[in-house]
Amino acid sequence: MSALPGRRVLVTGASGTFGRHLCAALTAAGARVVGVDRQAGTVDGVPVLGCDLTDPAAVAPTVAAAVERLGGLDLLVNNAGVGGPAPAELPPDEVVRQQLEVNLLAAWRTTAAALPALEAARGRVVFVASRMALLPLPLAAAYGVSKRALVAYADALRHEVGTHVGVSVVYPSMVASPIHDSTADAGLSLRGVSRLEPVAGVVAAILRAATARRAPRDVATTRRGRLELALARHAPALADRLVRRTVAARVAAGDLDAAPLAAGMLRRHRAGADAGNGAGIGTG
């Protein structure tokens, strides 16, 4: 698929930050677009079908309705996602379950339902993952785990259907979006840890994945993103050290002092610092 005019596209999470801009860009490029989100409606003239993607019984009929409305399917963009704080040291709760359901299983269900139409059209699937799939951050375990699992699913899918359906993964960093609200409310803002990037760059990366002559495997949204992805894949120990250094700097600056979910990590960092200071006094 080298161009978008006349292409039939389904976008999940169509009413969200990426979804709205993506639907507008696809429509402007001449594609025919149907969106899916929890609430039915329209997004700048694009029809949005209402569906809870975490409901296994609801997904297949909704995808079938979209395919029928479009008269086939050339491109599926799995864009729906949720975030939220979830320390890895604590037992999984409803926040964790929801992120796994939306970020991984909803995309899996939607893709499975769309595959017959995509295979018939020799179409493409684009998964919107996150840089945290490869560069995870502490206190956001569910998001990193769910996005890394999404990438693993995309890899497995590519091996199974890649002869007939292109499979690409896009890795945005941090974009100003309500997805970060619950994390910020918990005192765990990503500012200072992940650099903000514009929505337009993410949309452009998705369009590149959709229109390249051959479906690219992994697509970064910025030059810095390409460097980070390469670092995470080829020098993971170095990437870990960089993340630890950044987190230690935030702890030392008191950025996490007001975050109850960070209490365990703060205690361990400060105990380690005290132990280090003691060891220094005892040598000579």
Side-chain angles (χ1 to χ4, degrees):
M1 181 170 59
S2 60
L4 286 169
R7 297 293 178 174
R8 302 155 298 182
V9 185
L10 177 60
V11 178
T12 68
S15 299
T17 301
F18 292 165
R20 294 195 310 273
H21 287 84
L22 181 58
C23 287
L26 287 164
T27 302
R32 297 166 52 209
V33 186
V34 170
V36 174
D37 214 304
R38 290 184 66 89
Q39 300 296 325
T42 59
V43 173
D44 294 330
V46 171
V48 176
L49 306 181
C51 179
D52 177 358
L53 294 176
T54 68
D55 179 358
V59 174
T62 302
V63 171
V67 171
E68 182 177 4
R69 185 163 188 161
L70 290 166
L73 189 63
D74 299 296
L75 172 64
L76 167 64
V77 182
N78 280 301
N79 166 69
V82 294
E89 68 178 288
L90 299 181
D93 57 9
E94 179 60 23
V95 171
V96 175
R97 187 201 66 77
Q98 184 188 36
Q99 290 183 63
L100 289 170
E101 279 284 347
V102 176
N103 298 343
L104 171 62
L105 297 181
W108 191 330
R109 292 185 190 105
T110 304
T111 303
L115 271 176
L118 288 169
E119 182 176 336
R122 295 296 181 106
R124 292 191 183 179
V125 184
V126 176
F127 295 93
V128 181
S130 166
R131 205 117 354 121
M132 285 179 63
L134 298 178
L135 282 173
L137 297 175
L139 309 175
Y143 192 73
V145 166
S146 63
K147 291 296 188 177
R148 182 172 292 194
L150 180 68
V151 174
Y153 170 68
D155 290 343
L157 182 72
R158 189 179 299 109
H159 287 307
E160 293 183 20
V161 306
T163 55
H164 290 67
V165 177
V167 180
S168 301
V169 180
V170 176
Y171 296 85
S173 183
M174 181 181 177
V175 175
S177 161
I179 197 173
H180 304 297
D181 289 352
S182 60
T183 301
D185 290 344
L188 300 172
S189 171
L190 293 176
R191 293 182 186 278
V193 177
S194 190
R195 184 173 297 183
L196 278 170
E197 63 181 81
V199 175
V202 179
V203 171
I206 294 171
L207 295 184
R208 286 200 306 275
T211 58
R213 190 172 66 87
R214 292 187 177 181
R217 186 180 192 278
D218 300 300
V219 181
T221 54
T222 63
R223 274 196 286 262
R224 178 187 176 93
R226 284 194 292 275
L227 176 61
E228 290 176 344
L229 292 182
L231 184 67
R233 287 192 183 279
H234 302 297
L238 175 58
D240 286 348
R241 287 198 295 273
L242 293 174
V243 172
R244 286 197 299 270
R245 187 175 68 181
T246 301
V247 171
R250 288 197 76 194
V251 170
D255 291 348
L256 303 176
D257 287 355
L261 290 176
M265 194 174 72
L266 293 176
R267 171 177 53 77
R268 285 183 291 273
H269 270 262
R270 287 165 181 165
D274 291 342
N277 289 337
I281 292 171
T283 60

